[in-house]
Amino acid sequence: MAKYKIEVDRELCIGDGACCGEAPNTFEMDGDNIAKVTNSDGHTPEEVLQAAQVCPVDAIILTDAQTGEKVWPK
Ligand code: SF4
């Protein structure tokens, strides 16, 4: 089971693709040029966190899948 529940805030995403560059096995751009999660186990939790942290608008929301605690953005 993936460590993080990963969500993309479609209202915030500006479509720059930074997350896809950082974690291409987890994120891809959809037909509206908004990032979507393709595989929450595509990268290690550290890599997923890194991808969330490069998002310039903090559109990637990470929640601990076990505790429900919000991990990112802080
Ligand atoms: S890094 Fe953020 S703004 Fe850029 S595509 Fe990914 S979710 Fe969207």
Side-chain angles (χ1 to χ4, degrees), residues 22-35:
E22 197 72 28
N25 300 332
T26 296
F27 299 97
E28 73 177 28
M29 304 310 289
D30 71 10
D32 297 322
N33 202 38
I34 302 287

Side-chain angles (χ1 to χ4, degrees), residues 1-8 40 45 48-49 52 60-74:
M1 180 174 154
K3 179 173 180 180
Y4 298 133
K5 179 178 168 217
I6 309 168
E7 296 169 287
V8 175
S40 55
V48 170
L49 178 59
I60 298 171
I61 301 145
L62 302 182
T63 309
D64 187 302
Q66 298 236 308
T67 66
E69 186 184 342
K70 189 168 157 192
V71 175
W72 189 265
K74 296 270 184 208

Side-chain angles (χ1 to χ4, degrees), residues 7-10 12-22 27-29 33-36 51-61:
E7 296 169 287
V8 175
D9 186 327
R10 296 181 59 86
L12 287 179
C13 177
I14 57 171
D16 71 342
C19 55
C20 304
E22 197 72 28
F27 299 97
E28 73 177 28
M29 304 310 289
N33 202 38
I34 302 287
K36 69 173 182 183
Q53 290 174 336
V54 300
C55 177
V57 292
D58 283 348
I60 298 171
I61 301 145

